[in-house]
Amino acid sequence: MTAFVAEVPLRWTDQDAYRHVNHARIVTLVEEARVALAFTAAGREGLAGFSSGLLVAGLHVEYKRQLPWRPEPLRCAITVRELRAASFVLDYALHDGPGADDPVAVTAWTRMALYDLEAGRVRRLTVDERDFLERHRGDVS
């Protein structure tokens, strides 16, 4: 299985007074990569369920190095683990640059829960959603 890779752009306003990308902005960059996977890539395959009800149930972020602002996008590799009936975990490796060989600056994970907004409750993954996520199972790189 292969990681899903998204390029996430940095904005001038992402840096803080210490001239590195601020923690809150890191979480936003991870979110943008997740949207590229769950909404854009899944949507291209006709899977609209993620975009109609996907909640972050948990978040963990670890910093390996500071990320200075630069005009080039960052590479964010995402893999799936703990695929369950109604939830899964996404692991992220945010690289210090756009290349696979650029060092990983941030690792993170989010526990995701599928949610039926109309029913007001958690829902199960469909077979097609599970198949989509299975393609990205494995070690993040």
Side-chain angles (χ1 to χ4, degrees):
M1 302 300 153
T2 61
F4 174 84
V5 176
E7 285 194 352
V8 289
L10 291 174
R11 292 154 202 83
W12 181 254
T13 56
D14 289 345
Q15 64 185 326
D16 59 19
Y18 303 113
R19 297 193 324 204
H20 65 254
V21 179
N22 180 274
H23 164 74
R25 299 304 302 153
I26 294 291
V27 172
T28 299
L29 294 170
V30 166
E31 177 183 44
E32 289 174 2
R34 180 174 63 249
V35 166
L37 168 69
F39 297 6
T40 307
R44 276 194 292 259
E45 295 186 25
L47 300 173
F50 293 127
S51 63
S52 64
L54 184 61
L55 304 176
V56 175
L59 166 70
H60 179 84
V61 181
E62 289 192 21
Y63 300 93
K64 310 297 183 191
R65 61 190 301 143
Q66 291 186 23
L67 277 170
W69 181 87
R70 86 282 313 280
E72 299 83 28
L74 303 178
R75 178 183 203 270
C76 187
I78 304 173
T79 57
V80 177
R81 68 178 161 93
E82 295 183 29
L83 191 51
R84 297 184 176 164
S87 68
F88 53 94
V89 174
L90 297 176
D91 289 314
Y92 309 85
L94 187 60
H95 292 252
D96 188 1
D101 293 335
D102 288 320
V104 173
V106 177
T107 58
W109 60 259
T110 52
R111 180 171 308 282
M112 307 303 299
L114 291 123
Y115 197 76
D116 182 328
L117 293 171
E118 288 186 23
R121 62 180 164 77
V122 173
R123 70 165 180 86
R124 291 181 172 269
L125 282 161
T126 67
V127 171
D128 290 338
E129 290 167 340
R130 180 174 293 279
D131 289 345
F132 175 81
L133 293 170
E134 282 285 354
R135 291 198 313 258
H136 303 294
R137 261 193 186 242
D139 293 330
V140 73
S141 57

